[in-house]
Amino acid sequence: MRTLRASKTSTLTLLVIVVALLTSCKTAYYPKGYNSPMFNNKGEIQLSGVLGVGNIELQTAYAATDNIGVMLNASTFNETREVDEQTFDEQRNLIEAGVGYYGKFGTMGKFEVFGGGGLGSIPADFRDVSYTYDGTQTATMTNFFIQPAIGLGSEIVDFSGVSRFSVVTINNETNVFFEPGLTIKLGYKAVRFAGGLGVSVPFQETTSLTWDHNPIIMSLGIMVNLNRLYE
């Protein structure tokens, strides 16, 4: 029993260290968590609060018809960083909207394709810039995405495999990211724990740009599901 507890503690400690290392780099783009609603019927509403790597997110989704859904996501993150022996308070914000098509196959199978875009503000601590960063400079970030997914759903679990493509522009430089991952929502009917895990792979190495990205997508939170019909 003590060995098992020690193993769990070591795993948790390692995870915390990895996340801390990833978020301590000079990084402009932190991929948001996956909002993959896997709708069941018209009128369904999903509200999720999740904590991710470099993001605290509110995810919402609504099934406007039997096949068309919309989503609205917002994320923010505040942190204190030390740059050249000076301490700065930094904030990142993003809001985005999307629309998509969803459907069902078999008894539990589901699929969806969402697309959309967003606008955000990030700290402008870039490489090779003409100014000295003092913590006050900010820059605009735009993010356009298309997100196909396939999965299954029941009264207890929703599961999906996601293949997201994101087109991100920061400091007048654009890069495309392939962001595959898995999501799971586990609980019973209206209230579930929600988690996601994936990677962000750039088409162009960010070392050739003035900004970096975080390669890990990881989120954990709680989802409330309203108006879903169960057969």
Side-chain angles (χ1 to χ4, degrees), residues 74-123:
S75 66
T76 186
F77 196 76
N78 297 303
E79 66 176 336
T80 300
R81 287 183 51 203
E82 185 174 308
V83 179
D84 296 329
E85 299 182 352
Q86 297 185 62
T87 300
F88 303 122
D89 290 325
E90 298 182 336
Q91 185 173 31
R92 294 187 296 276
N93 299 292
L94 175 69
I95 186 167
E96 65 178 14
V99 62
Y101 182 89
Y102 72 93
K104 297 186 288 185
F105 59 94
T107 57
M108 297 176 62
K110 299 183 179 184
F111 67 91
E112 62 190 20
V113 180
F114 277 87
L119 181 66
S121 175
I122 62 170

Short mmCIF file of all heavy atoms in Angstrom, two decimals, residues 74-123:
data_model
loop_
_atom_site.label_atom_id
_atom_site.label_comp_id
_atom_site.label_asym_id
_atom_site.label_seq_id
_atom_site.Cartn_x
_atom_site.Cartn_y
_atom_site.Cartn_z
N ALA A 74 -13.90 31.01 -24.10
CA ALA A 74 -13.09 32.12 -23.59
C ALA A 74 -12.02 31.55 -22.67
O ALA A 74 -12.26 30.60 -21.92
CB ALA A 74 -13.96 33.12 -22.83
N SER A 75 -10.83 32.11 -22.75
CA SER A 75 -9.74 31.66 -21.88
C SER A 75 -8.95 32.86 -21.38
O SER A 75 -8.87 33.90 -22.04
CB SER A 75 -8.81 30.69 -22.62
OG SER A 75 -8.13 31.35 -23.67
N THR A 76 -8.35 32.70 -20.21
CA THR A 76 -7.53 33.74 -19.63
C THR A 76 -6.47 33.08 -18.76
O THR A 76 -6.65 31.94 -18.30
CB THR A 76 -8.37 34.73 -18.81
OG1 THR A 76 -7.54 35.82 -18.37
CG2 THR A 76 -8.97 34.06 -17.57
N PHE A 77 -5.39 33.78 -18.55
CA PHE A 77 -4.36 33.26 -17.65
C PHE A 77 -3.48 34.42 -17.20
O PHE A 77 -3.02 35.23 -18.01
CB PHE A 77 -3.49 32.21 -18.35
CG PHE A 77 -2.68 31.38 -17.40
CD1 PHE A 77 -3.26 30.36 -16.66
CD2 PHE A 77 -1.32 31.62 -17.22
CE1 PHE A 77 -2.53 29.59 -15.77
CE2 PHE A 77 -0.58 30.86 -16.34
CZ PHE A 77 -1.18 29.84 -15.61
N ASN A 78 -3.26 34.51 -15.89
CA ASN A 78 -2.37 35.50 -15.31
C ASN A 78 -1.18 34.80 -14.69
O ASN A 78 -1.34 33.77 -14.04
CB ASN A 78 -3.09 36.32 -14.23
CG ASN A 78 -4.24 37.12 -14.77
OD1 ASN A 78 -4.07 37.92 -15.67
ND2 ASN A 78 -5.43 36.88 -14.24
N GLU A 79 -0.01 35.36 -14.89
CA GLU A 79 1.17 34.78 -14.27
C GLU A 79 2.20 35.86 -13.99
O GLU A 79 2.20 36.93 -14.61
CB GLU A 79 1.79 33.70 -15.16
CG GLU A 79 2.36 34.21 -16.47
CD GLU A 79 3.03 33.12 -17.27
OE1 GLU A 79 3.46 32.11 -16.66
OE2 GLU A 79 3.14 33.26 -18.50
N THR A 80 3.07 35.58 -13.04
CA THR A 80 4.18 36.46 -12.72
C THR A 80 5.46 35.83 -13.26
O THR A 80 5.76 34.68 -12.96
CB THR A 80 4.31 36.66 -11.20
OG1 THR A 80 3.10 37.25 -10.71
CG2 THR A 80 5.47 37.59 -10.87
N ARG A 81 6.18 36.57 -14.09
CA ARG A 81 7.40 36.06 -14.72
C ARG A 81 8.58 36.96 -14.43
O ARG A 81 8.42 38.17 -14.21
CB ARG A 81 7.22 35.95 -16.23
CG ARG A 81 6.32 34.83 -16.67
CD ARG A 81 6.26 34.75 -18.17
NE ARG A 81 7.60 34.72 -18.75
CZ ARG A 81 7.88 35.08 -19.99
NH1 ARG A 81 6.92 35.54 -20.77
NH2 ARG A 81 9.10 35.00 -20.45
N GLU A 82 9.74 36.35 -14.44
CA GLU A 82 10.97 37.11 -14.25
C GLU A 82 11.73 37.16 -15.57
O GLU A 82 12.04 36.12 -16.16
CB GLU A 82 11.84 36.47 -13.17
CG GLU A 82 13.10 37.28 -12.85
CD GLU A 82 13.89 36.72 -11.68
OE1 GLU A 82 13.28 36.50 -10.62
OE2 GLU A 82 15.09 36.48 -11.86
N VAL A 83 12.00 38.37 -16.05
CA VAL A 83 12.72 38.58 -17.29
C VAL A 83 13.88 39.52 -17.01
O VAL A 83 13.68 40.65 -16.57
CB VAL A 83 11.82 39.17 -18.39
CG1 VAL A 83 12.62 39.40 -19.68
CG2 VAL A 83 10.63 38.27 -18.65
N ASP A 84 15.10 39.04 -17.27
CA ASP A 84 16.30 39.86 -17.02
C ASP A 84 16.30 40.43 -15.60
O ASP A 84 16.52 41.63 -15.37
CB ASP A 84 16.39 41.01 -18.04
CG ASP A 84 16.55 40.50 -19.46
OD1 ASP A 84 17.17 39.43 -19.62
OD2 ASP A 84 16.06 41.15 -20.39
N GLU A 85 16.01 39.54 -14.63
CA GLU A 85 16.02 39.86 -13.21
C GLU A 85 14.96 40.89 -12.81
O GLU A 85 15.04 41.49 -11.75
CB GLU A 85 17.42 40.36 -12.78
CG GLU A 85 18.51 39.30 -12.99
CD GLU A 85 19.87 39.79 -12.51
OE1 GLU A 85 19.99 40.96 -12.15
OE2 GLU A 85 20.80 38.95 -12.47
N GLN A 86 13.96 41.08 -13.65
CA GLN A 86 12.82 41.93 -13.32
C GLN A 86 11.55 41.08 -13.33
O GLN A 86 11.40 40.18 -14.16
CB GLN A 86 12.68 43.08 -14.31
CG GLN A 86 13.86 44.05 -14.34
CD GLN A 86 13.59 45.22 -15.25
OE1 GLN A 86 12.66 46.00 -15.03
NE2 GLN A 86 14.40 45.36 -16.29
N THR A 87 10.64 41.38 -12.40
CA THR A 87 9.42 40.61 -12.27
C THR A 87 8.25 41.37 -12.90
O THR A 87 8.04 42.56 -12.61
CB THR A 87 9.10 40.33 -10.79
OG1 THR A 87 10.19 39.59 -10.22
CG2 THR A 87 7.83 39.51 -10.65
N PHE A 88 7.50 40.68 -13.78
CA PHE A 88 6.37 41.28 -14.47
C PHE A 88 5.11 40.45 -14.25
O PHE A 88 5.17 39.22 -14.16
CB PHE A 88 6.62 41.37 -15.98
CG PHE A 88 7.87 42.12 -16.36
CD1 PHE A 88 8.86 41.49 -17.10
CD2 PHE A 88 8.06 43.43 -15.97
CE1 PHE A 88 10.01 42.16 -17.46
CE2 PHE A 88 9.21 44.12 -16.32
CZ PHE A 88 10.19 43.48 -17.07
N ASP A 89 3.97 41.14 -14.17
CA ASP A 89 2.67 40.47 -14.17
C ASP A 89 2.16 40.46 -15.61
O ASP A 89 2.03 41.51 -16.24
CB ASP A 89 1.68 41.20 -13.27
CG ASP A 89 2.02 41.06 -11.80
OD1 ASP A 89 2.53 39.99 -11.41
OD2 ASP A 89 1.80 42.01 -11.04
N GLU A 90 1.86 39.26 -16.12
CA GLU A 90 1.43 39.12 -17.50
C GLU A 90 0.04 38.48 -17.57
O GLU A 90 -0.32 37.69 -16.70
CB GLU A 90 2.42 38.26 -18.29
CG GLU A 90 3.81 38.85 -18.38
CD GLU A 90 4.74 38.00 -19.20
OE1 GLU A 90 4.49 36.77 -19.32
OE2 GLU A 90 5.72 38.54 -19.73
N GLN A 91 -0.68 38.81 -18.62
CA GLN A 91 -2.02 38.25 -18.81
C GLN A 91 -2.22 37.88 -20.27
O GLN A 91 -1.83 38.62 -21.17
CB GLN A 91 -3.10 39.24 -18.38
CG GLN A 91 -4.51 38.66 -18.44
CD GLN A 91 -5.55 39.59 -17.86
OE1 GLN A 91 -5.41 40.81 -17.91
NE2 GLN A 91 -6.60 39.02 -17.30
N ARG A 92 -2.87 36.73 -20.48
CA ARG A 92 -3.25 36.29 -21.81
C ARG A 92 -4.76 36.09 -21.84
O ARG A 92 -5.33 35.49 -20.92
CB ARG A 92 -2.55 34.97 -22.18
CG ARG A 92 -1.06 35.09 -22.32
CD ARG A 92 -0.46 33.78 -22.85
NE ARG A 92 -0.65 32.68 -21.93
CZ ARG A 92 0.15 32.42 -20.91
NH1 ARG A 92 1.19 33.21 -20.67
NH2 ARG A 92 -0.08 31.39 -20.12
N ASN A 93 -5.41 36.57 -22.90
CA ASN A 93 -6.85 36.44 -23.05
C ASN A 93 -7.19 36.01 -24.47
O ASN A 93 -6.52 36.42 -25.43
CB ASN A 93 -7.56 37.77 -22.76
CG ASN A 93 -7.33 38.26 -21.35
OD1 ASN A 93 -7.79 37.65 -20.40
ND2 ASN A 93 -6.60 39.36 -21.20
N LEU A 94 -8.23 35.22 -24.62
CA LEU A 94 -8.69 34.79 -25.93
C LEU A 94 -10.18 34.52 -25.88
O LEU A 94 -10.69 33.93 -24.92
CB LEU A 94 -7.96 33.50 -26.37
CG LEU A 94 -8.43 32.87 -27.69
CD1 LEU A 94 -8.06 33.76 -28.87
CD2 LEU A 94 -7.84 31.47 -27.87
N ILE A 95 -10.90 34.96 -26.91
CA ILE A 95 -12.31 34.62 -27.06
C ILE A 95 -12.51 34.16 -28.49
O ILE A 95 -11.95 34.74 -29.43
CB ILE A 95 -13.24 35.80 -26.70
CG1 ILE A 95 -14.70 35.33 -26.74
CG2 ILE A 95 -13.00 36.99 -27.61
CD1 ILE A 95 -15.66 36.32 -26.10
N GLU A 96 -13.26 33.08 -28.68
CA GLU A 96 -13.47 32.54 -30.01
C GLU A 96 -14.86 31.94 -30.13
O GLU A 96 -15.49 31.57 -29.13
CB GLU A 96 -12.41 31.49 -30.34
CG GLU A 96 -12.48 30.24 -29.49
CD GLU A 96 -11.44 29.21 -29.88
OE1 GLU A 96 -10.51 29.55 -30.63
OE2 GLU A 96 -11.57 28.06 -29.42
N ALA A 97 -15.33 31.87 -31.38
CA ALA A 97 -16.65 31.31 -31.67
C ALA A 97 -16.52 30.34 -32.83
O ALA A 97 -15.60 30.43 -33.66
CB ALA A 97 -17.63 32.42 -32.02
N GLY A 98 -17.45 29.38 -32.89
CA GLY A 98 -17.42 28.40 -33.96
C GLY A 98 -18.81 27.87 -34.27
O GLY A 98 -19.74 28.01 -33.48
N VAL A 99 -18.93 27.27 -35.43
CA VAL A 99 -20.17 26.64 -35.85
C VAL A 99 -19.83 25.30 -36.50
O VAL A 99 -18.74 25.16 -37.09
CB VAL A 99 -20.96 27.55 -36.83
CG1 VAL A 99 -20.17 27.80 -38.10
CG2 VAL A 99 -22.33 26.96 -37.15
N GLY A 100 -20.72 24.33 -36.40
CA GLY A 100 -20.37 23.03 -36.96
C GLY A 100 -21.57 22.15 -37.25
O GLY A 100 -22.72 22.50 -36.94
N TYR A 101 -21.26 21.03 -37.86
CA TYR A 101 -22.25 20.02 -38.21
C TYR A 101 -22.00 18.78 -37.37
O TYR A 101 -20.85 18.36 -37.20
CB TYR A 101 -22.13 19.67 -39.69
CG TYR A 101 -23.16 18.66 -40.17
CD1 TYR A 101 -24.40 19.07 -40.65
CD2 TYR A 101 -22.87 17.29 -40.15
CE1 TYR A 101 -25.34 18.14 -41.08
CE2 TYR A 101 -23.80 16.36 -40.57
CZ TYR A 101 -25.03 16.78 -41.03
OH TYR A 101 -25.96 15.86 -41.46
N TYR A 102 -23.06 18.18 -36.84
CA TYR A 102 -22.91 16.95 -36.05
C TYR A 102 -23.95 15.93 -36.47
O TYR A 102 -24.99 16.25 -37.05
CB TYR A 102 -23.03 17.26 -34.55
CG TYR A 102 -24.43 17.59 -34.08
CD1 TYR A 102 -25.28 16.61 -33.58
CD2 TYR A 102 -24.91 18.91 -34.13
CE1 TYR A 102 -26.56 16.90 -33.15
CE2 TYR A 102 -26.19 19.22 -33.69
CZ TYR A 102 -27.01 18.22 -33.21
OH TYR A 102 -28.29 18.52 -32.79
N GLY A 103 -23.66 14.67 -36.19
CA GLY A 103 -24.59 13.59 -36.51
C GLY A 103 -24.29 12.36 -35.69
O GLY A 103 -23.35 12.32 -34.89
N LYS A 104 -25.08 11.31 -35.91
CA LYS A 104 -24.94 10.06 -35.16
C LYS A 104 -24.92 8.88 -36.12
O LYS A 104 -25.43 8.94 -37.24
CB LYS A 104 -26.10 9.91 -34.17
CG LYS A 104 -26.15 10.98 -33.10
CD LYS A 104 -27.21 10.71 -32.06
CE LYS A 104 -28.60 10.93 -32.59
NZ LYS A 104 -29.64 10.78 -31.54
N PHE A 105 -24.30 7.79 -35.67
CA PHE A 105 -24.33 6.54 -36.42
C PHE A 105 -24.35 5.38 -35.43
O PHE A 105 -23.75 5.46 -34.35
CB PHE A 105 -23.14 6.42 -37.37
CG PHE A 105 -21.79 6.47 -36.70
CD1 PHE A 105 -21.15 5.29 -36.33
CD2 PHE A 105 -21.17 7.68 -36.43
CE1 PHE A 105 -19.91 5.32 -35.71
CE2 PHE A 105 -19.93 7.72 -35.80
CZ PHE A 105 -19.30 6.54 -35.45
N GLY A 106 -25.06 4.32 -35.77
CA GLY A 106 -25.19 3.20 -34.85
C GLY A 106 -25.95 3.60 -33.60
O GLY A 106 -26.72 4.56 -33.58
N THR A 107 -25.73 2.86 -32.52
CA THR A 107 -26.44 3.12 -31.27
C THR A 107 -25.75 4.15 -30.39
O THR A 107 -26.41 4.86 -29.64
CB THR A 107 -26.59 1.82 -30.47
OG1 THR A 107 -25.29 1.25 -30.24
CG2 THR A 107 -27.45 0.82 -31.22
N MET A 108 -24.41 4.28 -30.48
CA MET A 108 -23.68 5.20 -29.62
C MET A 108 -22.71 6.10 -30.40
O MET A 108 -22.17 7.05 -29.84
CB MET A 108 -22.88 4.42 -28.56
CG MET A 108 -23.72 3.62 -27.61
SD MET A 108 -22.72 2.64 -26.45
CE MET A 108 -21.83 3.92 -25.58
N GLY A 109 -22.49 5.82 -31.67
CA GLY A 109 -21.50 6.56 -32.43
C GLY A 109 -21.94 7.97 -32.77
O GLY A 109 -23.11 8.24 -33.05
N LYS A 110 -20.97 8.90 -32.77
CA LYS A 110 -21.23 10.31 -33.08
C LYS A 110 -20.06 10.88 -33.87
O LYS A 110 -18.92 10.41 -33.76
CB LYS A 110 -21.42 11.12 -31.79
CG LYS A 110 -22.60 10.65 -30.94
CD LYS A 110 -22.79 11.53 -29.73
CE LYS A 110 -23.99 11.05 -28.91
NZ LYS A 110 -24.27 11.93 -27.75
N PHE A 111 -20.34 11.92 -34.64
CA PHE A 111 -19.28 12.63 -35.35
C PHE A 111 -19.64 14.11 -35.43
O PHE A 111 -20.81 14.49 -35.27
CB PHE A 111 -19.08 12.05 -36.75
CG PHE A 111 -20.25 12.28 -37.68
CD1 PHE A 111 -20.31 13.40 -38.50
CD2 PHE A 111 -21.30 11.36 -37.74
CE1 PHE A 111 -21.38 13.61 -39.35
CE2 PHE A 111 -22.37 11.56 -38.58
CZ PHE A 111 -22.43 12.69 -39.39
N GLU A 112 -18.64 14.94 -35.67
CA GLU A 112 -18.86 16.38 -35.76
C GLU A 112 -17.69 17.03 -36.49
O GLU A 112 -16.57 16.49 -36.50
CB GLU A 112 -18.99 17.00 -34.36
CG GLU A 112 -17.75 16.83 -33.50
CD GLU A 112 -17.94 17.21 -32.05
OE1 GLU A 112 -19.10 17.26 -31.58
OE2 GLU A 112 -16.93 17.47 -31.37
N VAL A 113 -17.97 18.17 -37.11
CA VAL A 113 -16.94 19.01 -37.70
C VAL A 113 -17.26 20.45 -37.34
O VAL A 113 -18.30 20.98 -37.75
CB VAL A 113 -16.85 18.86 -39.22
CG1 VAL A 113 -15.75 19.76 -39.78
CG2 VAL A 113 -16.60 17.42 -39.62
N PHE A 114 -16.38 21.09 -36.56
CA PHE A 114 -16.56 22.48 -36.17
C PHE A 114 -15.46 23.33 -36.77
O PHE A 114 -14.32 22.88 -36.95
CB PHE A 114 -16.54 22.62 -34.65
CG PHE A 114 -17.86 22.34 -33.99
CD1 PHE A 114 -18.21 21.04 -33.64
CD2 PHE A 114 -18.76 23.36 -33.74
CE1 PHE A 114 -19.42 20.76 -33.05
CE2 PHE A 114 -19.98 23.10 -33.15
CZ PHE A 114 -20.32 21.80 -32.80
N GLY A 115 -15.79 24.56 -37.09
CA GLY A 115 -14.81 25.53 -37.55
C GLY A 115 -15.12 26.89 -36.97
O GLY A 115 -16.28 27.19 -36.64
N GLY A 116 -14.09 27.72 -36.82
CA GLY A 116 -14.32 29.04 -36.26
C GLY A 116 -13.03 29.81 -36.11
O GLY A 116 -12.00 29.48 -36.70
N GLY A 117 -13.10 30.84 -35.30
CA GLY A 117 -11.91 31.66 -35.10
C GLY A 117 -12.04 32.51 -33.85
O GLY A 117 -13.11 32.60 -33.23
N GLY A 118 -10.92 33.12 -33.46
CA GLY A 118 -10.91 33.91 -32.25
C GLY A 118 -9.86 35.00 -32.29
O GLY A 118 -9.00 35.05 -33.17
N LEU A 119 -9.97 35.89 -31.31
CA LEU A 119 -9.08 37.04 -31.18
C LEU A 119 -8.62 37.13 -29.74
O LEU A 119 -9.43 36.99 -28.82
CB LEU A 119 -9.81 38.31 -31.60
CG LEU A 119 -9.03 39.62 -31.57
CD1 LEU A 119 -7.91 39.60 -32.62
CD2 LEU A 119 -9.97 40.80 -31.80
N GLY A 120 -7.32 37.39 -29.54
CA GLY A 120 -6.79 37.45 -28.19
C GLY A 120 -5.68 38.47 -28.03
O GLY A 120 -5.22 39.09 -29.00
N SER A 121 -5.25 38.62 -26.80
CA SER A 121 -4.16 39.52 -26.44
C SER A 121 -3.15 38.75 -25.61
O SER A 121 -3.53 38.01 -24.70
CB SER A 121 -4.69 40.72 -25.65
OG SER A 121 -3.64 41.54 -25.21
N ILE A 122 -1.86 38.91 -25.93
CA ILE A 122 -0.80 38.19 -25.23
C ILE A 122 0.35 39.13 -24.90
O ILE A 122 0.48 40.20 -25.52
CB ILE A 122 -0.26 37.03 -26.09
CG1 ILE A 122 0.34 37.57 -27.39
CG2 ILE A 122 -1.35 36.01 -26.38
CD1 ILE A 122 1.10 36.55 -28.19
N PRO A 123 1.22 38.77 -23.95
CA PRO A 123 2.43 39.56 -23.70
C PRO A 123 3.34 39.57 -24.91
O PRO A 123 3.57 38.53 -25.53
CB PRO A 123 3.08 38.85 -22.51
CG PRO A 123 1.99 38.07 -21.88
CD PRO A 123 1.07 37.67 -22.99
#
